[in-house]
Every structure is written in structure tokens, then in C-alpha cells.
Amino acid sequence: MKDLAGKTAVVTGAASGIGLGIATALAQAGVKVMMCDIEEGALAKAVEGLRQTNADVEGVRADVSLKSELQAAADAAVARYGKIHILVNNAGVTGGGGYGVWTDASWNWTIGVNLMAVIWGVEIFGPLMESHGEGGQIVNTASIAGLISGNGGPYNVTKYGVVALSEGLRVELAPRGIGVSVLCPGFIRTQIIDSTRNLPERFSGVTPASPASGDPVEALKAIRERIAGGIDPLYVGELVREGVENDWAYIFTDNEFEPFIEARFAGIRQGFDQIRGREPRR
Ligand SMILES: NC(=O)c1ccc[n+]([C@@H]2O[C@H](COP(=O)([O-])OP(=O)(O)OC[C@H]3O[C@@H](n4cnc5c(N)ncnc54)[C@H](O)[C@@H]3O)[C@@H](O)[C@H]2O)c1
């Protein structure tokens, strides 16, 4: 989608962090943006801040882990802007730790926000994008944790799901004029580590995100520090804008984790090597 000026985007999780960075970068290119978020105060502030730069933006409050609220946000976007060209399924939470501290609440919350909302976003906005025939782009925010997994916690599982969904949809939707990109950020300077600030009441009982091994308190402190010193969310937004303009399949933010992904590929290759030359029994 080369000419972004005048197009319309819906960005979820747009009140802060990466979502706000994406909304800002798109607005700077002349895109009209419907900003969707669960956090009402932060959303109002974000909308107001962007309007002061003469951006054409609107805010809609929705808990994207409820399909009816996401549908209502889509209705509001259509009522305000008409045609929708870009969908950024970005809202996400770090809910729950790995083996030993699982709870149903952690799984349900994380799957609801990080995965089901992305699926519903495609289901709701895909036909809207197809209907105007001007083409569209879907960007789904996964994570580097969608390509390498350090534990069996809900976060990584949902992010792998978002990568799988995006890779598959990219093939399915291309003939319909819709490009699909998956954003896989490394450490970005946001409030992600304090995700429980937006925990809906119905998911009470989530366990804190915890790492695979070692002292969980120290490890969490280390992750918090990496995020505090992480990449500027607006820089990520600018990369996403470039990804939309050029229909990038994968949008990475940096090369820090590339060797770890190479190591995963090597492990997969080893699995194939172990059975190479055998004749499977049928
Ligand atoms: N920060 C990082 O280092 C990092 C790395 C990889 C991936 N990500 C992903 O980036 C995305 C954005 O996260 P962030 O880092 O900007 O964190 P953030 O907490 O700063 O922003 C997330 C936004 O999503 C909103 N949100 C949370 N639950 C919601 C719900 N149920 N309905 C609607 N909105 C909801 C929050 O209010 C917030 O504005 C997430 O999908 C996250 O998993 C972040």
C-alpha cells in the first residue's frame, strides 16, 4: 500500500506503547486512525496528544477479548471513517508464568487478548477491507517469543499462534487484495510488564509472568530493566509503516535474537536429519 495519505487504520492497544507508536507513525503519514484500547484514561490522553499534531484520530474503548466489544469498535470505525484499509491487531498482555504456576485464568486472559482478539479482528475487518476493493493490510503483533520459546507459558503459546495465523492468512488473503504482516518485536520500551493494570475482573486469578528457570524475582527484574532500556515504540511504529507500504511478511525491530532463531532452525533440521533416508511405514 504505497500511498497511505487519506487511508484509514484501526489500531488496537493504541493508548500506549507500540500501539501508540504505530498510530503516531501512521497519522504522520496522513492516515486517519481509529485508536482502540481498554484503558480509557490513557486512550483519551493519547487521542488528545495526537490531535494536537493535527492528526485525524478518534478513540474507542473496547476490551478486545470480548468479541462483541471488538465488533462495536469496528462499527464505530466504519461510522466515523467509512472504508477501513489497515488493521493493526496489536493489543497484548503478558499473563501467566510457565509450568508449575499455570492457572486457567492466566491461559484464558492471555489467549483472549493475544490470540482470540486477533482472530476476531481478521474475521470482523477482513470483509470490510474486501468490500471497498481498494486493498488492505493487516498487521498482527506477535513477538520474537512467537519464533523462539523459553518456556511453556501462555504468552509464547499465543504469540506462536499469531505467527501461524499470519503466515497462513498471508497466503489466503493475497488473492483478495489484502496483505498480511506479522510484527515480531524484541525488547521495546513500553508498559507491557505491568499488563495486569488492564486485567478484566472475569480473569481474576492470573499468575505473574515468570521465566523458565532461576530466581523468578531477579529474572523479572532483569526483564523489566531490558524493557525500560528498550527500543523507542515510535521507531517500531515507523518500521510498521514501512512494512505496510511494502507488504513485508515479517517486521522485526532489531537483530538481537536472530542467532536464537537460527539455533531453533538448527534443532528442527537436526530432527529431520535423525530420520533422513528412512522409508516411513504406510
Ligand atoms: N514491549 C515489548 O518488549 C514487546 C515485545 C514483543 C511483543 N510485544 C507486543 O506488543 C504489543 C503491545 O504491547 P506493548 O509492549 O506496547 O505494551 P503496553 O502495555 O504498553 O501496551 C499494550 C496496550 O494494549 C492495551 N490492552 C491490554 N489489554 C487490552 C484489552 N483486553 N483490550 C484492548 N486493549 C488492551 C493496553 O491498555 C495498552 O494500551 C503486545 O501484543 C505485546 O505482546 C511487546
Side-chain angles (χ1 to χ4, degrees):
M1 192 176 291
K2 281 291 175 204
D3 196 7
L4 292 186
K7 298 282 196 315
T8 299
V10 173
V11 181
T12 69
S16 61
I18 293 171
L20 180 54
I22 295 170
T24 305
L26 290 175
Q28 284 171 352
V31 177
K32 298 171 272 186
V33 187
M34 177 57 90
M35 300 167 67
C36 170
D37 205 283
I38 195 173
E39 203 175 347
E40 217 153 12
L43 179 62
K45 209 173 136 205
V47 169
E48 189 45 41
L50 277 181
R51 281 189 179 152
Q52 277 173 13
T53 67
N54 285 330
D56 186 347
V57 297
E58 189 64 71
V60 60
R61 193 232 163 248
D63 174 353
V64 297
S65 67
L66 292 170
K67 194 175 187 179
S68 57
E69 293 199 9
L70 189 56
Q71 179 65 61
D75 295 344
V78 171
R80 174 71 175 82
Y81 290 121
K83 298 172 188 169
I84 310 294
H85 302 92
I86 302 163
L87 168 67
V88 186
N89 281 312
N90 167 78
V93 294
T94 48
Y99 173 77
V101 290
W102 285 347
T103 64
D104 286 355
S106 298
W107 281 100
N108 291 336
W109 178 45
T110 314
I111 290 173
V113 180
N114 293 8
L115 186 56
M116 289 315 299
V118 179
I119 293 166
W120 292 328
V122 172
E123 195 183 334
I124 292 167
F125 287 93
L128 293 176
M129 285 181 188
E130 281 190 74
S131 67
H132 54 63
E134 294 174 10
Q137 191 77 24
I138 296 174
V139 180
N140 296 324
T141 303
S143 170
I144 281 292
L147 295 166
I148 42 166
S149 186
N151 72 12
Y155 187 79
N156 302 341
V157 172
T158 58
K159 295 302 183 180
Y160 265 66
V162 172
V163 171
L165 182 74
S166 307
E167 288 178 348
L169 285 173
R170 188 172 169 84
V171 178
E172 276 191 280
L173 298 189
R176 295 168 182 255
I178 300 174
V180 181
S181 308
V182 63
L183 169 64
C184 296
F187 284 118
I188 315 300
R189 202 178 60 240
T190 72
Q191 299 178 65
I192 189 74
I193 209 75
D194 295 312
S195 292
T196 48
R197 72 190 187 282
N198 292 311
L199 180 69
E201 240 175 53
R202 68 185 192 283
F203 296 121
S204 64
V206 301
T207 46
S210 64
S213 57
D215 178 346
V217 177
E218 278 306 309
L220 205 58
K221 208 175 117 198
I223 292 173
R224 191 178 279 280
E225 277 168 16
R226 286 303 314 274
I227 288 175
I231 293 167
D232 177 3
L234 180 55
Y235 175 75
V236 180
E238 289 162 0
L239 288 171
V240 168
R241 186 177 65 204
E242 203 177 335
V244 169
E245 285 167 337
N246 298 293
D247 188 24
W248 288 354
Y250 301 91
I251 305 173
F252 291 111
T253 56
D254 57 282
N255 293 79
E256 177 178 354
F257 294 96
E258 193 178 349
F260 296 90
I261 293 169
E262 292 286 358
R264 173 173 172 243
F265 290 159
I268 292 170
R269 207 170 303 119
Q270 192 187 359
F272 280 119
D273 287 343
Q274 275 154 358
I275 52 95
R276 196 174 306 287
R278 295 191 195 178
E279 191 55 45
R281 187 164 52 242
R282 298 183 196 279

